[in-house]
Every structure is written in C-alpha cells, then in structure tokens.
Amino acid sequence: MGTKLSGATRFSGSAARLRTAGQREPSRVLEPVNNRMPISPQIYERLRRAITTLAMLPSEALSEQDLAQQLGVSRTPVREALIRLADEGLIDILPQRGSFVAPIRLSDVEEAQFIREALEVSVVQKLAGHGSDTFIAAGRVNLAQQAKAVAEGDRELFLELDEAFHRSLCEEAGLPKSWRVIQVVKLQMDRVRYLSLPEPGHLETLLAQHVAIFEAVETGEAKQAGARMAAHLREVLRTVQRLNVARPDLFGQ
C-alpha cells in the first residue's frame, strides 16, 4: 500500500495529528509541482495522497485558488484533478457550495473490500505453486523489510512495502490489469487502513497475515492461500466499525 510518488510529500504522523470534529481549516500540505514533469498527474497524485493519508480530512473545504497557489499552477489543472477525484469518490462537489473532501462512507469501503477480495483471492489461487525463483526471493526480501519497518514503527514504509507485496502477486500471476483495477477501488479502503495504523499490534497482525499468504503461495496451497487472503482483506471491515465509533466525524453515509 503506498507506492512512492515522485515529488510527493510523505505525511509522517498524519494519523496521530488528526484534528478534532469541527476543525476543518484548509490544510497546508502540498508541495509545488515540478514544472519539468507532466503537471496534471502530479496534482492528482498529491491530492489523492493527501486525502488517503488523512492529511486532508473528510468534510474539509477545498479551494481551487488556494490549492493552485500551493502547487504553483493555474486553477484549470486543479479543477481537472478535483473532478477526477470526485469520480473516484474521494471528493464531493456540491453545487453552489464548492468542493469538499468526502467522508469515509461505510458502503463504499464494504463494496471496495468485496471487489478487492474477489480479485486477490483468485490471484493467489492462480499463482500458488507457480511463482518463479526470482519472485520468491524478492517476496522474502519484501517480508523481511516489512518486519524491520514494524520493529522500527515506520508506518509509511510499511504501507509502501505492503502495496508492493500485493502488486507483486498480481504481476507474477500475469494479471497486471487486475492490480490497476484494485488501485482504483481500494482508495476508500486506504483511508481506513491509514487511520488504523497507530492501533497497538495492528502492523504485527498485517505482517503475520502477509507471511501466511506468501507461505501458502510458495508451497502451492491454493485453497489456503485464498482463505488467508480473504481473512487478510476482511481486516478492514473489522477495523472500520471500531473507527466509526471512535472518530464519527470522519465517516458518513
């Protein structure tokens, strides 16, 4: 979870500094774009990452002018990025009122989890017992790095390694388009997952699940791999109910 984005800010400690309900002042979290690179993708990635990592909070008002000033661009590419993010359910554009970061909607999280589980369970079942030596070696390195990130409490690094782990399964199975679909649908899940990172023992749980999935894939236990992936991806459903009680200001219908 958390592919590195060129030039994007790392929002270390964002979950720990979440503002309380009712505090919705505009965030100052965006770096200016690099004018030597395509501008529109940079704007989209910066805004998407700020929202999914909760550097921009649900219900926060978004001013095209303010965002354009932060990014060092005109309002047109900012508006285009906001429309794209609205299509993906991360922003609400309300007539006569403006644009706002969308709340975390339980129905969207549940549907995203359903789609992701359907795809990734099939991926690991297809891959089980067929991973190349190169894939197995790289997977072991990734898991060792995950363990190190957990030990050091580096949540952002863990997210990056987590995303790389899941992506590698799709790519090794010869299903890269499946990963592209997952990347779109999981945006609603990402905010819940990011919010849950500080919970005691949560990273340890995710790591243990990754290890169990990888072992089943490596040894060719397709049924076990699928069951373990399903249990892993359902973790977000267990988490979201607790978070909805603890931080109701971040959630909506």
Side-chain angles (χ1 to χ4, degrees), residues 57-77:
L57 293 177
S59 301
E60 185 171 308
L62 300 175
S63 160
E64 287 182 11
Q65 182 175 350
D66 181 64
L67 293 173
Q69 289 177 346
Q70 290 185 57
L71 293 161
V73 298
S74 69
R75 293 175 60 175
T76 298

Side-chain angles (χ1 to χ4, degrees), residues 37-108:
M37 299 174 62
I39 291 175
S40 293
Q42 293 182 72
I43 296 172
Y44 166 77
E45 293 292 356
R46 278 163 168 71
L47 291 174
R48 182 187 65 81
R49 184 166 174 80
I51 292 169
T52 56
T53 61
L54 300 169
M56 288 180 171
L57 293 177
S59 301
E60 185 171 308
L62 300 175
S63 160
E64 287 182 11
Q65 182 175 350
D66 181 64
L67 293 173
Q69 289 177 346
Q70 290 185 57
L71 293 161
V73 298
S74 69
R75 293 175 60 175
T76 298
V78 172
R79 184 178 306 115
E80 292 171 351
L82 293 177
I83 292 172
R84 181 177 174 186
L85 290 164
D87 288 340
E88 294 174 349
L90 292 180
I91 286 178
D92 290 335
I93 299 178
L94 306 179
Q96 310 304 319
R97 292 184 56 192
S99 299
F100 301 83
V101 177
I104 301 171
R105 296 185 171 97
L106 299 183
S107 59
D108 288 344

Side-chain angles (χ1 to χ4, degrees), residues 16 45 68 73 75 81 100 115 167 193 224 235 240:
E45 293 292 356
V73 298
R75 293 175 60 175
F100 301 83
I115 295 170
R167 183 180 66 246
R193 291 156 62 200
Q224 280 278 54
E235 192 70 34
V240 73

Side-chain angles (χ1 to χ4, degrees), residues 116-126 222 225-227 229-231 233:
R116 186 170 184 182
E117 181 180 326
L119 287 172
E120 290 204 64
V121 166
S122 295
V123 165
V124 294
Q125 289 177 333
K126 181 178 188 292
M229 177 62 80
L233 294 176

Side-chain angles (χ1 to χ4, degrees), residues 137-151:
R140 289 173 180 164
V141 170
N142 177 284
L143 291 171
Q145 292 173 333
Q146 286 188 42
K148 186 173 185 291
V150 171

Side-chain angles (χ1 to χ4, degrees), residues 187-205:
L187 293 175
Q188 296 298 337
M189 297 172 66
D190 283 346
R191 290 196 287 178
V192 174
R193 291 156 62 200
Y194 199 91
L195 186 60
S196 69
L197 291 181
E199 291 188 340
H202 188 64
L203 291 185
E204 288 82 357
T205 296

